[in-house]
């Protein structure tokens, strides 16, 4: 290898001669180039601009610090799981969409629940008015879950469920439905989001105050450790933090800071870190700045590995492995010229693949307008299949590793995220930082700056602030009509008359008793869902015991 | 002269508050008095805050698809409280065909994703009494 000083000397010569001559005639497009995270971009990256030790900082795939990927052969063995987030209307409607997606070659399910289900209201609750089945499927009782997975063998598919404050209830229903199908818990594979901290920061589907909420998260993780050993009991999510307007660095920093809080909480309860850390999973966003995104995934992997090893003294490699799902950035989709979104999604998805994702959701072109139609959902899935089978990138492990730019950005993102985590430590941890509004304010500021950059055209969005045109309003938008709400309410009413209501009362009382102790809450919830207690009834019982959180 | 007062509100269960927060801040920067309710407000709560705070405008933001139920309910409650002089506008993920319906229900204007702030700022200036 050439001497670093020699390269620097040569680079300076190039700056002062060849580059300078060109710049006099053709000035650059901008005075300062920087990434979304405000990382300054140099004119040129050379080996001398990138500090890393190959063995220590990059290493080998499947080995610490996992910079090059968590599996030894990455996609040369198996492609990522193509997992499209879907759910709308009733369980009947959504079951039909799942069969369609599985037939189209999707390899895993991902359930979107409507907001009442996520916030613990039955479909006939006044708070649910207008929201039933709107941005996901409505689930009131285990009956709906049976319909949702009708004809789908739960020992064959893996299922991811975006559910947080009512996670224990939905997971209990899933376990009970599997049991009815004859599938024991220990064979179940999938993921629950179960990440309440980012709900307070960015997503907003909290119910209870932080302390009992953290207890629910812990109970689920520990229940899964003993009963669902193949289940990912949490998906620590940066996705929504990014959607709320954070930078890439903030996404990594706040997500890993939340991860630290969960690991600390569980180890403080006396559980050895290596007993559960292997089942922690993560969820990131794939945004527009292509190279910064690829570097972001690599940086997150390396930083988490170091945190687990150095801070928590993890011993097993699987405890240090950051396995993650990715979704392309919903906030980058435009309502203007929506067909262009297919191209945006392709680039974002490619960044996730080059960054080594374990599973991927690609957004549909029409999602700035409504939920996707069947055809839009199909194009989104085909986008993944084209990257996976046609582009050739999957034959290489970490193909951008060693690039001067990528390694330099990976270092920068890791360093800046680590600084944020230190700052949060100084504040007293994530819960304190949320309570003080520190994290929310950092995100709001970044979001405001991003939006201003679009308004001043510092950042160009094709079809929005440049290359605009007159368009017809798009046709073929998916509509969830109000009849669905009535249908769902009727179904619930019927169940409430047909079930054994004394038994429901008994199980709810038993649950409340457990909620007041520090016993694991999962078994009591499983008992309650099996006798058709509804999500609203169970949530209300817990509201009585835990209280409710109000945004300040 | 009295400053124009705007209530930015999130009706329903939707937690996507990025747009609402941006609109609130952009309106504040434009010199209006802005109150932001935070997420998960019922139409009743929004109307009661609007009357209490004596606002001139209510901006509603909804990305969950519940706009056809929640936006008209706010207008109806304002009428019941004899506060129909408060002008209601909205934004979010709202299909074109719903815009016509919402306007027929008394929502003065709907701003879709990507609307530059000068457009809704001018809307307020032009419609202020």
């Amino acid at each position: 290898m050439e001497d670093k000083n020699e390269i620097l000397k040569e680079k300076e010569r190039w700056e002062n001669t060849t580059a300078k001559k060109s710049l006099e005639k053709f000035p650059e497009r901008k005075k300062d180039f920087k990434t979304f995270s405000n990382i300054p971009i140099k004119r040129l990256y050379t080996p001398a601009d990138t500090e890393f030790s190959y063995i220590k900082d990059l290493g080998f795939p499947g080995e610490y610090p996992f910079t090059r990927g968590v599996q030894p052969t990455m996609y040369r063995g198996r492609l990522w799981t193509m997992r499209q987030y879907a759910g709308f209307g009733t369980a009947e409607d959504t079951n039909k969409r799942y069969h369609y997606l599985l037939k189209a070659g999707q390899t895993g399910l991902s359930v979107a629940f409507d907001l009442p289900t996520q916030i613990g209201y039955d479909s006939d609750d006044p708070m649910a008015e207008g929201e039933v089945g709107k941005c996901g499927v409505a689930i009131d009782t285990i009956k709906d879950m049976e319909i949702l997975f009708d004809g789908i063998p739960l020992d064959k598919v893996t299922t991811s469920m975006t559910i947080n404050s009512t996670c224990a209830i939905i997971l209990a229903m899933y376990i009970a439905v599997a049991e009815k199908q004859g599938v024991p818990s220990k064979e179940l594979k999938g993921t629950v989001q179960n990440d309440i901290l980012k709900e307070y920061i960015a997503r907003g589907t909290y119910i209870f105050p932080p302390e009992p909420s953290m207890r629910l998260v812990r109970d689920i993780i520990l229940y899964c450790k003993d009963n669902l050993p193949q289940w990912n009991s949490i998906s620590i999510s940066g996705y929504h933090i990014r959607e709320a307007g954070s930078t890439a660095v903030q996404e990594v920093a706040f997500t890993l800071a939340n991860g630290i809080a969960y690991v600390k909480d569980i180890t403080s309860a006396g559980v050895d870190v290596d007993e559960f850390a292997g089942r922690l999973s993560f969820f990131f966003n794939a945004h527009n700045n292509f190279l910064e995104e690829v570097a972001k995934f690599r940086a997150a992997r390396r930083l988490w590995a170091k945190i687990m090893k150095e801070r928590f003294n993890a011993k097993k490699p699987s405890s240090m492995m950051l396995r993650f799902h990715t979704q392309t950035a919903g906030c980058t989709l435009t309502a203007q010229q929506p067909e262009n979104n297919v191209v945006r999604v392709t680039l974002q998805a490619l960044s996730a693949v080059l960054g080594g994702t374990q599973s991927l959701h690609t957004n549909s072109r029409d999602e700035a307008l409504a939920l996707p139609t069947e055809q839009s959902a199909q194009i989104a899935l085909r986008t993944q299949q084209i990257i996976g089978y046609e582009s050739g990138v999957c034959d290489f492990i970490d193909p951008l590793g060693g690039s001067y730019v990528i390694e330099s950005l990976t270092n920068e993102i890791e360093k800046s995220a680590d600084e944020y985590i230190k700052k949060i430590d100084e504040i007293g941890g994530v819960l304190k930082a949320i309570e003080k509004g520190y994290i929310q304010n950092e995100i709001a500021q970044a979001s405001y700056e991003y939006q201003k950059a679009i308004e001043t055209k510092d950042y160009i969005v094709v079809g929005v602030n440049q290359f605009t045109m007159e368009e017809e309003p798009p046709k073929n938008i998916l509509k969830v009509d109000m009849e669905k709400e009535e249908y769902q309410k009727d179904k619930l009413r019927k169940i409430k008359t047909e079930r054994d209501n004394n038994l429901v009362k008994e199980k709810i009382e038993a649950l409340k008793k457990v909620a007041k102790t520090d016993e694991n809450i999962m078994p009591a919830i499983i008992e309650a869902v099996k006798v058709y207690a509804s999500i609203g009834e169970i949530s209300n019982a817990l509201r009585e015991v835990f209280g409710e959180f109000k945004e300040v | 002269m009295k400053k124009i007062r705007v209530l930015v509100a999130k009706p329903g269960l939707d937690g996507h508050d990025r747009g609402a927060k941006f609109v609130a801040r952009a309106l504040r920067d434009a010199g209006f008095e802005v109150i932001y309710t935070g997420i998960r407000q019922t139409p009743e709560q929004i109307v009661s805050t609007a009357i209490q705070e004596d606002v001139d405008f209510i901006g509603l933001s909804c990305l969950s698809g519940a706009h056809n139920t929640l936006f008209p309910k706010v207008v109806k409650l304002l009428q019941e409280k004899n506060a129909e002089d408060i002008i209601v506008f909205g934004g979010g993920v709202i299909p074109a065909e719903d815009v016509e319906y919402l306007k027929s229900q008394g929502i003065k204007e709907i701003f879709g994703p990507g609307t530059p702030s000068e457009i809704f700022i001018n809307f307020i200036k032009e419609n202020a009494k």
Side-chain angles (χ1 to χ4, degrees), chain A residues 172-429:
Chain A
M173 289 181 181
Y174 192 82
I175 291 168
V177 169
E179 200 181 289
K180 281 193 182 185
Q181 283 192 5
V183 181
S185 296
K186 63 177 194 312
E187 281 176 27
L188 294 175
K189 284 186 196 165
T191 308
V192 280
Q193 198 157 75
N194 193 27
D195 171 15
I196 198 66
L197 290 170
K198 63 92 176 54
E199 297 295 328
Y200 299 117
I201 294 172
R203 192 165 171 273
T205 71
Y206 45 74
I207 303 175
F208 313 112
E211 206 179 304
S213 292
M214 287 296 280
R215 179 256 178 110
L216 287 173
V217 172
R218 183 171 66 236
D219 279 359
I220 292 164
I221 292 175
L222 295 180
Y223 183 86
C224 289
K225 168 177 89 67
D226 296 331
N227 301 283
L228 288 80
Q230 306 189 74
W231 195 265
N232 299 311
S233 49
I234 190 168
S235 171
I236 307 163
S237 306
Y239 182 81
H240 318 90
I241 290 171
R242 191 70 185 275
E243 286 293 293
S246 85
T247 65
V249 164
Q250 289 171 342
E251 181 189 355
V252 172
F254 299 153
T255 309
L256 300 196
N258 286 347
I260 290 170
Y262 294 124
V263 175
K264 220 165 152 181
D265 180 72
I266 295 172
T267 50
S268 304
V271 184
D272 184 80
V273 65
D274 285 315
E275 267 189 53
F276 67 92
R279 294 323 304 174
L280 306 177
S281 63
F282 289 82
F283 174 21
F284 290 110
N285 196 301
H287 210 283
N288 276 344
N289 200 316
F290 186 81
L291 297 175
E292 184 179 43
E293 291 301 287
V294 175
K296 175 187 80 180
F297 300 120
R298 302 172 82 250
R301 235 178 350 247
R302 186 161 72 202
L303 185 52
W304 183 247
K306 287 182 190 167
I307 289 168
M308 291 307 285
K309 188 174 184 168
E310 290 161 16
R311 198 189 269 240
F312 293 108
N313 297 312
K315 300 277 178 292
K316 283 193 199 163
S318 62
S319 305
M320 307 171 206
M321 242 182 232
L322 182 145
R323 297 173 297 123
F324 68 102
H325 172 69
T326 309
Q327 180 169 340
T328 57
C331 61
T332 65
L333 300 176
T334 64
Q336 298 77 4
Q337 304 174 36
E339 302 298 319
N340 296 343
N341 291 326
V342 175
V343 184
R344 291 189 179 97
V345 167
T346 306
L347 284 165
Q348 294 162 0
L350 184 59
S351 77
V353 169
L354 296 178
T357 194
Q358 276 59 65
S359 68
L360 180 60
H361 166 104
T362 32
N363 288 329
S364 296
R365 58 190 171 168
D366 45 4
E367 287 185 77
L369 305 159
L371 291 183
T373 60
E374 208 161 85
Q375 207 210 343
S376 301
Q378 184 186 310
I379 294 173
L381 176 61
R382 295 287 180 255
T383 304
Q384 294 197 35
Q385 290 163 336
I386 289 168
I387 293 174
Y389 295 101
E390 295 185 17
S391 76
V393 297
C394 305
D395 299 349
F396 300 86
I397 299 170
D398 186 31
L400 298 191
S403 142
Y404 311 132
V405 171
I406 289 292
E407 296 303 348
S408 171
L409 283 176
T410 304
N411 289 348
E412 288 292 328
I413 292 170
E414 184 190 357
K415 197 176 100 218
S416 308
D418 195 37
E419 278 162 17
Y420 256 124
I421 291 172
K422 290 204 173 89
K423 213 177 285 173
I424 291 168
D425 282 338
E426 276 164 29
I427 294 172

Side-chain angles (χ1 to χ4, degrees), chain A residues 115-116 119 121 127-131 134-135 202-207 242-245 331 335-336 367-370 440 444-445 447-448 450-452 455 464 473-474 477 479 482 551, chain B residues 11-18 21-22 25-26 29 36-40 42 62-70 73 92-98 112-118 120:
Chain A
L115 285 166
I119 308 176
Y121 295 114
M127 289 298 287
E129 198 187 348
E131 308 269 17
K134 280 288 156 56
C135 58
R203 192 165 171 273
T205 71
Y206 45 74
I207 303 175
R242 191 70 185 275
E243 286 293 293
C331 61
Q336 298 77 4
E367 287 185 77
L369 305 159
Q440 300 92 310
Q445 184 59 31
S447 150
Y448 189 74
Y450 177 81
Q451 207 58 38
K452 278 284 165 199
E455 299 213 335
V464 173
I477 294 291
K479 279 214 77 118
M482 287 303 288
E551 190 184 35
Chain B
L13 303 178
D14 175 36
H16 294 89
D17 58 0
R18 179 176 179 172
K21 280 179 169 167
F22 176 75
R25 185 153 167 195
D29 289 353
Y36 171 53
T37 60
I39 63 168
R40 261 199 247 172
T42 62
C62 180
L63 285 80
S64 73
H67 48 267
N68 278 353
T69 308
L70 297 169
K73 203 164 168 195
V93 176
I94 297 171
E97 53 184 290
D98 291 354
T115 304
S117 47
E118 83 179 273
F120 56 80

